[in-house]
Amino acid sequence: MDLYLGIDFGTSGARGMVIDEESSIQAQVRYPFQDSPVAVMPKIWQEALFVLVEQIPDQLRREIKAIAINGTSSTVLLVDAAGNPTDAPLLYNDARGSLVLEHLRSIAPPNHTVLSATSSLAKLLWMRQLPSFSEARYFLHQADWLAFLLHGQLGISDYHNALKLGYDVEELKYPEWQELLQIPIQLPKVLPPGTPIAELRPEIADKLGLRRDCFVCAGTTDSIAAFIASGAKLPGEAVTSLGSTLVLKLLSRTRVEDARYGIYSHRLGDLWLTGGASNTGGAVLKQFFTNAELESLSREIDASKASELDYYPLLKVGDRFPINDPNLPPRLEPRPDNPVEFLHGLLESIARIEARGYELLQQMGADKLTCVYTAGGGAANDTWAAIRARHLQVPVVASVYTEAAYGTALLAMGEGRRGEQE
């Protein structure tokens, strides 16, 4: 029996999921991240990757035919010729790229996806001034580097991760204007997500108890993996990921791009996955409430009534979508004494930001919203779902599968078989 492994590197931890050819889950494994300095993150990711695989029962490990990995979008690092990180990575929400935006604006087309403080390309331009830059040979996304640890080939990415690096997903090539940036470093070769790259390095296969003919496939980003997992397939269907942050993805026949609002489109077969990511979300809720409190207090909220509190819940200054402003201040006042009222205000405000996001996508020409699937930790909160449905005015349903690792396993399966035939 051939099995397929999808690995999800999110913000709070890593997860692995093994599925069979009927798409049924055979095993699930987790590795939570502790708060650690960013400089040691690559070591933690590497340990998480190997520990996750080792947690899968032996007999299942020997049946795994293909592996795919997703990472957080625009989490990037520089590595030397041997693949060792030359400096600390820059995480998905790191906005140091704002310092090079003026230069980037003078070269990239107006309103391009890369014209965001957190884009991969802005991060790369910022990294050029690091003393360690001279040692670097490759610029990689988190998912690219993790896959390299398994297959041993440096400088390979997928067109979901490479979108914010400026890769043209319509023409399937790097754009000519990028040459004007004179980037003195190897940009990744870009493949369609799920494409088999290579078999496992033999020593890694042996160390982890995997088949030597197991393929490692080109990966994707965590939010696209969650979309693939959801089961949404038709134009107008959308997925909201309610994780640490809020990510919206709407399936559309039209490609929509506008950096002024942090809107971009990913290619998904013949359709476009248009959307954006806001810094609001579960991380803000967890700043004030434990998981148990979120559960018990949510039950006391009357979801049919709107909260009069108007917040813009952020952990720190700056948002990316639907307002793209690195200086946008969090708004968390006034704070009522009653925790139920406070939570109601927060949930209502995040739902308002979500609704504004979908409204904007449709104004820009995306298909009309018909249904919203929900993924991420917030998907389990029924009160929140009811509040969101009131704002969105369409059915809000929990995805049957909410784990990005499941979507990544489907990606490995779809293309793992193709690798066999080639």
Side-chain angles (χ1 to χ4, degrees):
M1 177 171 63
D2 285 340
L3 301 177
Y4 303 88
L5 170 60
I7 299 175
D8 162 42
F9 273 77
T11 49
S12 57
R15 298 175 181 84
M17 209 167 266
V18 179
I19 62 170
D20 62 20
E21 291 182 324
E22 267 66 61
S23 308
S24 300
I25 298 168
Q26 296 298 315
Q28 296 186 60
V29 287
R30 287 173 184 270
Y31 186 103
F33 296 149
Q34 309 302 326
D35 278 340
S36 304
V38 177
V40 300
M41 290 285 197
K43 274 193 178 136
I44 292 167
W45 299 339
Q46 181 168 358
E47 184 181 318
L49 176 63
F50 293 160
V51 170
L52 272 182
V53 176
E54 285 164 348
Q55 283 177 24
I56 298 165
D58 289 1
Q59 73 276 18
L60 296 182
R61 252 184 283 168
R62 287 192 291 271
E63 307 284 344
I64 294 171
K65 176 67 185 159
I67 300 171
I69 300 173
N70 78 64
T72 48
S73 177
S74 290
T75 291
V76 296
L77 68 169
L78 294 166
V79 301
D80 62 20
N84 300 312
T86 57
D87 216 305
L90 294 192
L91 303 186
Y92 67 98
N93 57 353
D94 193 306
R96 275 177 274 195
S98 60
L99 299 171
V100 298
L101 277 184
E102 218 38 61
H103 173 51
L104 196 47
R105 273 196 198 99
S106 69
I107 291 170
N111 305 326
H112 195 281
T113 308
V114 297
L115 297 173
S116 155
T118 57
S119 78
S120 303
L121 189 57
K123 289 183 174 114
L124 171 55
L125 296 187
W126 181 86
M127 287 166 140
R128 277 213 289 214
Q129 41 108 26
L130 291 169
S132 59
F133 191 78
S134 59
E135 300 161 43
R137 291 291 169 272
Y138 296 93
F139 176 81
L140 298 175
H141 302 89
Q142 180 187 33
D144 309 340
W145 185 70
L146 288 161
F148 150 74
L149 295 177
L150 298 179
H151 59 60
Q153 297 194 18
L154 272 167
I156 297 176
S157 189
D158 62 88
Y159 63 55
H160 290 159
N161 272 295
L163 180 81
K164 293 180 189 175
L165 186 53
Y167 186 78
D168 186 332
V169 290
E170 216 151 0
E171 298 291 330
L172 298 178
K173 61 178 188 179
Y174 284 106
E176 282 169 20
W177 57 260
Q178 230 172 29
E179 289 165 24
L180 300 171
L181 293 168
Q182 297 179 315
I183 297 164
I185 194 168
Q186 187 74 40
L187 292 182
K189 176 186 171 191
V190 180
L191 300 173
T195 306
I197 296 169
E199 291 178 354
L200 287 169
R201 287 158 55 195
E203 68 274 21
I204 292 292
D206 297 347
K207 170 182 154 73
L208 298 176
L210 293 161
R211 294 156 52 157
R212 283 193 173 195
D213 66 348
C214 173
F215 265 102
V216 183
C217 302
T220 182
T221 64
D222 53 352
S223 57
I224 294 190
F227 190 95
I228 294 167
S230 73
K233 287 186 174 67
L234 303 171
E237 294 183 337
V239 173
T240 295
S241 289
L242 293 174
S244 301
T245 58
L246 172 77
V247 183
L248 311 188
K249 299 261 186 258
L250 171 60
L251 211 46
S252 172
R253 285 165 290 201
T254 313
R255 183 182 183 182
V256 179
E257 304 265 329
D258 200 322
R260 289 174 303 174
Y261 305 105
I263 292 172
Y264 53 91
S265 289
H266 278 285
R267 190 181 185 127
L268 202 68
D270 298 332
L271 295 171
W272 293 97
L273 200 46
T274 181
S278 169
N279 292 337
T280 193
V284 187
L285 300 178
K286 288 190 175 169
Q287 191 183 19
F288 299 107
F289 304 101
T290 64
N291 286 341
E293 286 168 341
L294 284 171
E295 214 174 294
S296 63
L297 296 172
S298 292
R299 284 198 290 267
E300 295 183 49
I301 294 171
D302 181 352
S304 66
K305 290 194 175 132
S307 165
E308 286 169 22
L309 296 164
D310 183 18
Y311 299 141
Y312 204 104
L314 297 170
L315 283 181
K316 57 181 184 179
V317 169
D319 201 10
R320 302 171 282 165
F321 166 85
I323 299 170
N324 191 10
D325 178 1
N327 302 311
L328 186 74
R331 195 167 67 242
L332 293 160
E333 300 287 334
R335 182 171 172 179
D337 295 332
N338 182 339
V340 177
E341 278 177 44
F342 183 47
L343 178 59
H344 189 179
L346 290 171
L347 296 179
E348 190 90 32
S349 299
I350 297 171
R352 212 176 283 122
I353 293 167
E354 179 187 7
R356 194 182 305 163
Y358 282 122
E359 219 167 88
L360 197 53
L361 295 176
Q362 292 167 93
Q363 282 167 10
M364 296 287 194
D367 278 70
K368 186 173 162 51
L369 186 69
T370 58
C371 169
V372 176
Y373 291 85
T374 312
N381 190 320
D382 294 337
T383 306
W384 202 1
I387 292 169
R388 292 169 52 233
R390 174 159 48 75
H391 281 278
L392 293 165
Q393 300 287 297
V394 298
V396 171
V397 292
S399 305
V400 182
Y401 295 104
T402 62
E403 294 278 10
Y406 182 78
T408 312
L410 290 175
L411 198 62
M413 176 168 73
E415 299 292 341
R417 286 178 180 160
R418 205 184 77 185
E420 232 172 310
Q421 293 153 13
E422 282 173 356

